Amino acid sequence: MRLDRFLTETKVGSRSEVKKFIKKGQVTVNGQVEKNIGAQIDENNAQVEFQGEKLHYEKFVYYLLHKPQGVVSATKDAQKTVLDLLLEKDQRGDIFPVGRLDKDTEGLLLLTNDGKLAHDLLSPKKHVEKEYFAKINGLVTEETIAFFAGGMTLKEDENISPSQLKIVAVDQKVQTSEILLIIHEGKFHQVKRMFHKVGMEVTYLKRVRMGTLTLGQLAQGQYRVLSEKEMEPLKNN
């Protein structure tokens, strides 16, 4: 790994800042001052110090983000992406969102560089629950709940596992509903298409939980670092 990248990923400073630190001789590698910004080091074994303080490299990072509407779940796009919401000190070239939330959908999104965990969380075989709160044009009934509980086919060979639908509120006058829905896949526009299947329209959608991770009181556009303790149940799923 390049030395300047190592320093940014150990949160010494921004990319521009760490270059200045290196040029000023404030960084040592294995006891020797290193002024070459592009010097290659073994990130797992090299003894790197900044201003006399030993740095510890984290192989994997995990951020829980409250994605706002209008932001794209991608690493690169002409429009604003979820990675643009990270502070410069937390940006790494290998971070990506685990799955996608539609541009007009808000809620919990995991950002990480742990490819194996991402694969496991998205695999239908793992049955990781994703819970959503939604506002619906239409009256959700006990019959709707039963239909969702039986699973469904959205189109040929696209089967959806049984899901758990709960009515939060119903407004008979304006014919709208508020619901909580637990699904086990993460197919394209899945929640919206499930309600289209029963002749209803999703007007607002928010993911509030993924596995054991919950959004809590995290404000839109904000994120926080997840601890090892929080990640253990997901890794051991």
Side-chain angles (χ1 to χ4, degrees):
M1 178 183 290
R2 281 174 56 110
L3 179 58
D4 56 348
R5 178 182 169 189
F6 178 93
L7 293 174
T8 57
E9 294 188 1
T10 50
K11 302 184 180 179
V12 166
S14 66
R15 281 168 285 190
S16 58
E17 288 173 335
V18 300
K19 290 177 181 179
K20 294 177 182 178
F21 297 149
I22 295 170
K23 289 179 180 179
K24 289 180 179 179
Q26 296 177 310
V27 179
T28 62
V29 178
N30 297 326
Q32 302 294 318
V33 173
E34 179 59 77
K35 293 187 176 182
N36 178 8
I37 294 170
Q40 293 290 327
I41 64 169
D42 181 343
E43 67 272 19
N44 296 311
N45 297 306
Q47 300 294 311
V48 182
E49 294 186 3
F50 170 62
Q51 296 179 345
E53 182 179 344
K54 186 176 179 180
L55 302 176
H56 300 278
Y57 177 73
E58 292 181 300
K59 184 176 181 180
F60 296 124
V61 295
Y62 307 94
Y63 299 123
L64 189 154
L65 168 73
H66 185 163
K67 176 196 169 299
Q69 294 181 349
V71 179
V72 180
S73 298
T75 55
K76 292 182 180 180
D77 196 273
Q79 303 177 67
K80 188 173 185 178
T81 75
V82 290
L83 296 189
D84 293 327
L85 298 174
L86 296 178
L87 297 174
E88 188 174 6
K89 68 180 182 63
D90 292 329
Q91 292 179 359
R92 292 173 53 149
D94 54 356
I95 294 177
F96 56 89
V98 178
R100 298 177 64 88
L101 289 179
D102 300 338
K103 186 178 178 181
D104 61 352
T105 299
E106 70 167 275
L108 186 155
L109 190 64
L110 178 63
L111 306 179
T112 187
N113 60 340
D114 188 339
K116 181 181 183 304
L117 176 69
H119 178 269
D120 288 345
L121 291 178
L122 297 175
S123 172
K125 295 180 181 179
K126 294 289 185 177
H127 301 290
V128 177
E129 293 184 347
K130 292 91 175 175
E131 184 172 1
Y132 293 82
F133 169 78
K135 295 180 181 180
I136 310 295
N137 261 347
L139 294 179
V140 177
T141 64
E142 292 298 324
E143 288 73 20
T144 317
I145 292 173
F147 181 74
F148 276 49
M152 66 180 76
T153 301
L154 294 180
K155 64 180 183 180
E156 187 178 356
D157 297 327
E158 190 177 15
N159 298 317
I160 300 299
S161 303
S163 56
Q164 293 76 54
L165 176 60
K166 178 182 178 181
I167 300 171
V168 176
V170 170
D171 190 323
Q172 294 280 352
K173 185 176 181 180
V174 294
Q175 300 280 291
T176 60
S177 308
E178 295 183 0
I179 60 92
L180 287 171
L181 176 67
I182 297 173
I183 62 175
H184 302 275
E185 303 92 353
K187 297 181 182 295
F188 183 68
H189 293 324
Q190 181 173 334
V191 176
K192 297 174 183 176
R193 293 165 64 209
M194 290 172 73
F195 279 96
H196 282 162
K197 185 80 174 181
V198 293
M200 301 183 196
E201 180 188 3
V202 176
T203 59
Y204 172 81
L205 187 61
K206 176 181 181 180
R207 183 156 67 193
V208 296
R209 180 171 66 85
M210 184 176 188
T212 54
L213 298 178
T214 59
L215 193 58
Q217 299 302 310
L218 198 63
Q220 284 193 42
Q222 299 299 305
Y223 67 96
R224 65 180 182 85
V225 177
L226 290 167
S227 67
E228 280 297 321
K229 184 177 181 180
E230 289 177 294
M231 295 306 302
E232 278 178 12
L234 295 177
K235 293 180 178 180
N236 297 327
N237 182 60

